[in-house]
Amino acid sequence: MPNSGLDRLDISILEALQENARMPLSEIGRRIGLSQPATSERVKRLEERGIVTGYGARIDPAALGLGMMAIIRIRTTHEHIHPALRAFAEMPHVIEVHRMTGEDCFLLKVQVPSPGQLETIVDSIARFGAVTTSLVLRSEPAKPLGKALLEGA
Amino acid sequence: MPNSGLDRLDISILEALQENARMPLSEIGRRIGLSQPATSERVKRLEERGIVTGYGARIDPAALGLGMMAIIRIRTTHEHIHPALRAFAEMPHVIEVHRMTGEDCFLLKVQVPSPGQLETIVDSIARFGAVTTSLVLRSEPAKPLGKALLEGA
DNA sequence: TCTGAAACATGGGATTA
DNA sequence: TAATCCCATGTTTCAGA
């Protein structure tokens, strides 16, 4: 088990903070049977060790008029890779960029208001190589980390 | 522009909260030129309108021994879809599940400690259909929402 | 565990559209 | 009038000893 020296209490803290990063430390402590200062100390250590890298608000894209999500794969050649990365960084609708093994070099997650906007993005990406676009019909809520570590690893 | 009645200040608040959900309201207010109570009021309204759906900790998977990320696509038939969704929900290493259009019905994002664990997951998914697995070599940091709305939309 | 400091929620009054 | 802001203050939450 490659757990970085985390005990059950640390895992519980991570789960609580993923569920609600604004939960008071006293409340987290109450759940796991620790005092507020002891909980505070553990959270600070999790941050210092680089396990907790920050805290972010969850935002509903649909509520902002970005109700359409798509997955775009790009198959390209080696000399296009770095220009492509720079181009993706400039596109605000491109939310995630992953470089991968396999036939396709890149996988992008984009969040757009309309098919027309998606077309614009696809067109501006096509210069790098062959593009495959899929519309996301439904996404399950993203799963928090934590459980995966306790069971077998 | 399909912005749900958000002005520039609301957008700035969303950006600040995505960067650091624990930023004090007084600090957010200072950045955008508003008092702490006025900022508090706006944040509460963003929550009530369902734009901010929660707050979560960002966790480094590698620091938890889950240093390997993979993208798995599955091509299956209609009768397998709901059993597959239930099965994915039970797999702790499967972080995201998207149902899509196109040849492949599902796209999964998985986070594993080792190739062996990835093999186990692929094997247990293969019963639903044809599986295509790609290892993620590198991911750019996920982009926050906000900018995309101001420019043209 | 306790305490001073920081951050938050609430109510009243002023301003603007 | 309705909305939004600021200021003042009581309460909660945090950090350090």
Side-chain angles (χ1 to χ4, degrees), chain B residues 75-93:
Chain B
R75 178 177 186 176
T76 186
T77 52
H78 191 264
E79 69 267 21
H80 284 105
I81 285 180
H82 289 283
L85 281 169
R86 280 193 293 274
F88 301 154
E90 298 297 318
M91 301 181 186
H93 296 273

Side-chain angles (χ1 to χ4, degrees), chain A residues 18-95:
Chain A
Q18 284 177 98
E19 177 204 328
N20 177 13
R22 292 207 149 176
M23 189 181 300
L25 299 177
S26 55
E27 163 74 10
I28 298 176
R30 196 189 53 71
R31 290 193 185 191
I32 65 180
L34 240 51
S35 72
Q36 174 258 311
T39 309
S40 175
E41 181 62 30
R42 278 177 180 259
V43 171
K44 193 196 294 180
R45 268 189 57 81
L46 290 169
E47 293 170 351
E48 286 168 354
R49 287 202 269 170
I51 295 171
V52 172
T53 61
Y55 304 92
R58 277 188 287 269
I59 301 209
D60 177 11
L64 295 180
L66 297 170
M68 187 168 296
M69 176 171 159
I71 301 291
I72 302 179
R73 292 182 280 134
I74 302 113
R75 179 175 185 177
T76 185
T77 53
H78 192 265
E79 69 268 22
H80 284 104
I81 285 180
H82 289 284
L85 281 170
R86 279 193 294 275
F88 300 153
E90 298 298 317
M91 301 180 186
H93 296 273
V94 174
I95 305 300

